[in-house]
Amino acid sequence: MLARTVIRVNAFLLPLLLAGSAIAQGPNTAVLTIHPGQSQGKVSPTLYGLMTEEINYSYDGGLYAEMVRNRTFGSDWSGILDWYLLEKGNARAAMSEDKSTGPSQALPSSMKLDVQQADASDPAGVINIGYWGMAVRPNTTYKGSFYAKAESGIDAVTASLVGDQSGATLASATVTGISGDWKEYTYTLKTGAVQPSAANHLELTVKHAGTLWLNLVSLFPPTYHNRANGNRIDLMEKLAAMHPAFLRFPGGNYLEGNTIAERFEWQKTIGPLVDRPTHPSPWGYQSTDGMGLLEFLEWCEDLHMNPLLAVYAGYSLHGEHVNPGADLEPYVQNALEEIEYVTGDTNTKWGAERAKDGHPAPFHLTYVEIGNEDQFDKSGSYGERYQQFYKAIKAKYPDLQLIATAPITTMKPDVLDDHYYKRATEFFHDVHHYDNADRNGPKIFVGEWATREGLPTPNFGATLGDAAWMTGMERNSDLIVMASYAPLFTNVNPGGLQWDTDLIGYDAIHSYGSPSYYAQVMFSAYLGDQLPQSSEQGGGSRFFYSITRDSKKSRVYVKLVNADSTPQPVEIKLDGATLAGTGKVVTLSARDTQATNTLSEPRNIVPVEAPLQAAGTDLHHTMPPYSIQVLVLNER
Ligand code: AHR
């Protein structure tokens, strides 16, 4: 992905790159002296990863490729959400919620369609509007299913994808043999030479009078790696280009829920979809839990990420907490069982359950996070709660590293999760945050961070703040073992967003990476394994840098951030090594801090690659205004 995005040379940058060697050292020049042979620490190989939760329609209406919205027919005072009655011509029908019958214990109710009159030319049925539409592409196969039962006359249901504006049927299939007992039925919709569009909906219709009950109506497009119940291809490809080392899941606030009853209960998110009851997310909408514990793990498998499992630790957002001791014990046991589901072999109770769910091979787990943002627990119980989880988990899984979500005094945690949501100027002032941090304390996980400027996704001013902050994290990556931006996703449709400034935006059919996304692609693509000794003299107050070295390739990566509106001269001096004369510079820049990428202009700001002549021991270089650059320097 990166290789594809960086091959053109931006005409506006070229003069600055070429003029670099001619610019004399001035008072503003940043002089970086690098000692490639003297490493002061190791870069964490897991530094860059992903944080994710159900927020901003990240899974439902986002990564999770389900096209049917409210597939289990949840309702509020206004009726069944996202579903509408369809009466063509003389057809007459009524749609209602039936709480007396459903396909499973987890889904005990259903949608009841009473059809008084319908025939082949005037069918009756229901419409689902999808998550702000349904993406329909040419020559594509969509796999659908539903649970149904029928009475008095109805024995067939036709499923059709229909264009909102044209009313044209784009693909259609009829399921026959609907019986009087709840059963699952499948259907396949194949499009022909249609125009790609999101302005479509699903119709389920019948041609006879009678009664039909429906639940768990589903429709999936092709998914990443063709996984059943899988993920959107475009979004997975964008994540793959970030080369993430880990995935933190399932939250965030989503782990905690507003109340204890609304926490993420992993057992209710595994197994057949019909056995998942769904649950309210703290971000204001019901979660299908189609993205359940096993789906998170398979997402990790698909992108070669280490799972970073956050377990519920007895505190929920509205302030409820569970007292440490006997009250907390069931939650501790529940976390142990969850870990067994992830890592246990098939001889264990929960490993066998995972095998039954389709994945006999255990997953490798290194990190478990105990809760989320427990500094908000005003009862002060977190220190003891963490310790109780710690003792029980370490007794059974001594190799696991256990992350605390807030500083505690009861013991020294293995790792501490720090969160930072700031403005760009605040990050500029805070880039040295970890430079003098205690190396004998817990390791650090920057589990959530973002410059919050730009809506719905970061503008270039935010990207400069992000990049500056990343230079600080890289310089301290002997201490910071992992870092993840948050939130990762937002659906950009009206009502889709609950949290400003999210890394990747999308609607039902298209997606784009913000400039900050591309900064992260650059930072993770060019990351060495060593932190060479270096020093800086001069440079403006909005100049930031980090240096890593790839010891296997004898290559130095110099990351530079010029957050100023004027060019920044940089002189690089190598001590103890000479440059081979070849290299390259990758640049992300914009003319204004408010410049950004959008759904309609997704590639306004993308990395641009150019050759860099760098021989000898000195390199004179000038950074464009508002720019982030990676200099790739090959040692001779
Ligand atoms: O990233 C959005 C929210 O910010 C997370 O859910 C929470 O952990 C933090 O407060």
Side-chain angles (χ1 to χ4, degrees):
M1 177 77 177
L2 183 71
R4 268 210 326 264
T5 60
V6 295
I7 42 173
R8 72 198 161 82
V9 173
N10 187 331
F12 128 80
L13 296 175
L14 200 53
L16 287 164
L17 292 170
L18 297 176
S21 59
I23 290 182
Q25 188 176 322
N28 192 32
T29 301
V31 181
L32 298 183
T33 307
I34 308 171
H35 311 274
Q38 295 171 31
S39 173
Q40 59 182 5
K42 285 188 180 158
V43 175
S44 168
T46 54
L47 183 61
Y48 293 119
L50 305 176
M51 187 275 169
T52 166
E53 67 177 316
E54 184 57 277
I55 183 174
N56 304 323
Y57 294 85
S58 287
Y59 310 145
D60 296 341
L63 184 70
Y64 180 55
E66 174 65 84
M67 295 163 71
V68 177
R69 186 167 181 172
N70 187 21
R71 63 188 180 187
T72 52
F73 297 98
S75 63
D76 67 9
W77 59 269
S78 66
I80 296 173
L81 301 166
D82 311 307
W83 289 91
Y84 297 94
L85 184 66
L86 177 66
E87 297 165 305
K88 290 218 168 165
N90 292 322
R92 288 295 168 263
M95 171 180 116
S96 61
E97 187 185 12
D98 188 343
K99 292 194 172 162
S100 70
T101 182
S104 65
Q105 221 178 338
L107 301 177
S109 62
S110 55
M111 191 279 295
K112 181 179 176 188
L113 183 71
D114 276 311
V115 182
Q116 291 92 52
Q117 188 176 319
D119 58 35
S121 52
D122 290 349
V126 285
I127 285 174
N128 186 268
I129 57 172
Y131 291 95
W132 296 274
M134 291 188 177
V136 174
R137 296 184 171 86
N139 307 312
T140 304
T141 301
Y142 298 81
K143 290 183 184 157
S145 59
F146 55 77
Y147 281 76
K149 68 172 190 172
E151 266 177 16
S152 32
I154 295 177
D155 66 351
V157 173
T158 298
S160 311
L161 278 167
V162 176
D164 292 348
Q165 302 303 334
S166 63
T169 299
L170 308 170
S172 191
T174 297
V175 176
T176 55
I178 310 287
S179 73
D181 297 317
W182 280 108
K183 233 179 92 182
E184 186 182 19
Y185 300 88
T186 60
Y187 61 98
T188 300
L189 299 178
K190 283 187 187 156
T191 57
V194 299
Q195 285 298 316
S197 149
N200 308 291
H201 59 270
L202 179 70
E203 294 183 0
L204 297 176
T205 54
V206 298
K207 293 172 185 154
H208 297 284
T211 307
L212 174 74
W213 289 264
L214 286 170
N215 205 331
L216 197 53
V217 178
S218 176
L219 185 62
F220 273 82
T223 58
Y224 193 73
H225 286 184
N226 283 322
R227 276 199 191 274
N229 198 42
N231 293 336
R232 247 174 85 160
I233 294 170
D234 58 336
L235 294 176
M236 286 293 273
E237 286 176 344
K238 285 197 170 60
L239 299 182
M242 296 172 77
H243 302 293
F246 66 89
L247 176 73
R248 175 184 175 222
F249 65 87
N253 291 359
Y254 183 59
L255 170 73
E256 302 163 84
N258 281 336
T259 59
I260 296 175
E262 294 184 358
R263 70 193 184 279
F264 181 85
E265 283 191 81
W266 66 273
Q267 283 105 332
K268 294 182 178 173
T269 74
I270 57 173
L273 297 179
V274 74
D275 295 330
R276 304 186 194 185
T278 79
H279 84 283
S281 105
W283 297 104
Y285 55 96
Q286 191 80 4
S287 170
T288 65
D289 289 324
M291 179 69 81
L293 179 56
L294 185 57
E295 285 79 14
F296 283 115
L297 295 164
E298 289 174 337
W299 173 6
C300 291
E301 196 165 56
D302 282 350
L303 296 187
H304 312 291
M305 303 182 287
N306 295 308
L308 190 163
L309 176 69
V311 297
Y312 181 75
Y315 172 72
S316 291
L317 288 164
H318 286 178
E320 279 181 286
H321 81 278
V322 182
N323 282 324
D327 289 354
L328 192 63
E329 208 41 40
Y331 297 89
V332 174
Q333 290 310 315
N334 190 272
L336 288 172
E337 290 176 356
E338 186 172 7
I339 295 168
E340 187 175 286
Y341 184 90
V342 176
T343 64
D345 66 36
T346 51
N347 297 320
T348 63
K349 178 182 170 206
W350 287 103
E353 195 67 26
R354 187 197 59 242
K356 204 171 98 194
D357 294 341
H359 203 289
F363 294 89
H364 181 72
L365 189 65
T366 305
Y367 292 102
V368 172
E369 179 154 22
I370 313 298
N372 178 60
E373 293 193 336
D374 286 83
Q375 70 275 17
F376 292 116
D377 173 11
K378 296 303 170 222
S379 75
S381 69
Y382 185 59
E384 285 181 60
R385 287 191 286 112
Y386 176 85
Q387 197 168 27
Q388 192 171 335
F389 275 91
Y390 185 96
K391 281 186 184 155
I393 295 174
K394 286 276 179 172
K396 197 164 175 201
Y397 303 100
D399 293 338
L400 285 178
Q401 292 291 293
L402 303 181
I403 303 170
T405 72
I408 52 172
T409 51
T410 46
M411 61 176 294
K412 177 181 150 187
D414 297 332
V415 184
L416 180 63
D417 181 357
D418 284 343
H419 293 178
Y420 300 92
Y421 291 107
K422 290 178 184 269
R423 293 293 176 91
T425 46
E426 292 174 306
F427 270 135
F428 298 155
H429 288 129
D430 206 23
V431 288
H432 297 289
H433 189 102
Y434 289 105
D435 287 2
N436 299 313
D438 180 7
R439 263 50 184 176
N440 297 314
K443 292 284 186 189
I444 299 295
F445 169 35
V446 184
E448 295 179 29
W449 66 271
T451 308
R452 296 187 72 195
E453 292 182 34
L455 185 70
T457 50
N459 58 30
F460 201 72
T463 307
L464 291 165
D466 288 349
W469 178 245
M470 284 194 282
T471 64
M473 291 200 290
E474 275 193 9
R475 268 203 318 277
N476 289 285
S477 61
D478 59 317
L479 174 68
I480 301 174
V481 285
M482 294 173 292
S484 43
Y485 184 102
L488 182 63
F489 286 137
T490 188
N491 191 310
V492 300
N493 279 294
L497 170 149
Q498 291 89 48
W499 181 279
D500 297 4
T501 317
D502 309 292
L503 200 63
I504 295 170
Y506 46 83
D507 63 8
I509 191 163
H510 294 122
S511 58
Y512 70 98
S514 64
S516 289
Y517 162 82
Y518 287 108
Q520 290 195 42
V521 170
M522 280 167 67
F523 270 61
S524 69
Y526 301 101
L527 187 66
D529 56 317
Q530 296 178 334
L531 292 165
Q533 296 272 4
S534 67
S535 60
E536 178 199 357
Q537 284 165 328
S541 62
R542 299 219 160 163
F543 169 75
F544 310 95
Y545 78 100
S546 66
I547 298 157
T548 63
R549 177 173 181 269
D550 185 326
S551 58
K552 289 199 188 76
K553 294 181 180 157
S554 297
R555 184 177 280 172
V556 176
Y557 300 120
V558 182
K559 287 173 180 144
L560 305 171
V561 180
N562 177 18
D564 226 325
S565 56
T566 55
Q568 171 65 58
V570 184
E571 190 171 329
I572 293 172
K573 293 175 181 294
L574 255 72
D575 179 42
T578 18
L579 296 172
T582 56
K584 68 177 174 182
V585 55
V586 186
T587 302
L588 190 69
S589 69
R591 292 178 192 274
D592 195 277
T593 54
Q594 300 309 298
T596 197
N597 294 340
T598 61
L599 212 49
S600 54
E601 292 183 292
R603 298 182 61 79
N604 270 342
I605 302 168
V606 294
V608 173
E609 189 176 309
L612 183 69
Q613 294 308 318
T617 57
D618 282 14
L619 171 68
H620 304 282
H621 175 66
T622 299
M623 298 186 70
Y626 296 140
S627 66
I628 298 157
Q629 294 189 308
V630 181
L631 310 186
V632 180
L633 306 176
N634 293 310
E635 296 166 25
R636 199 191 294 275

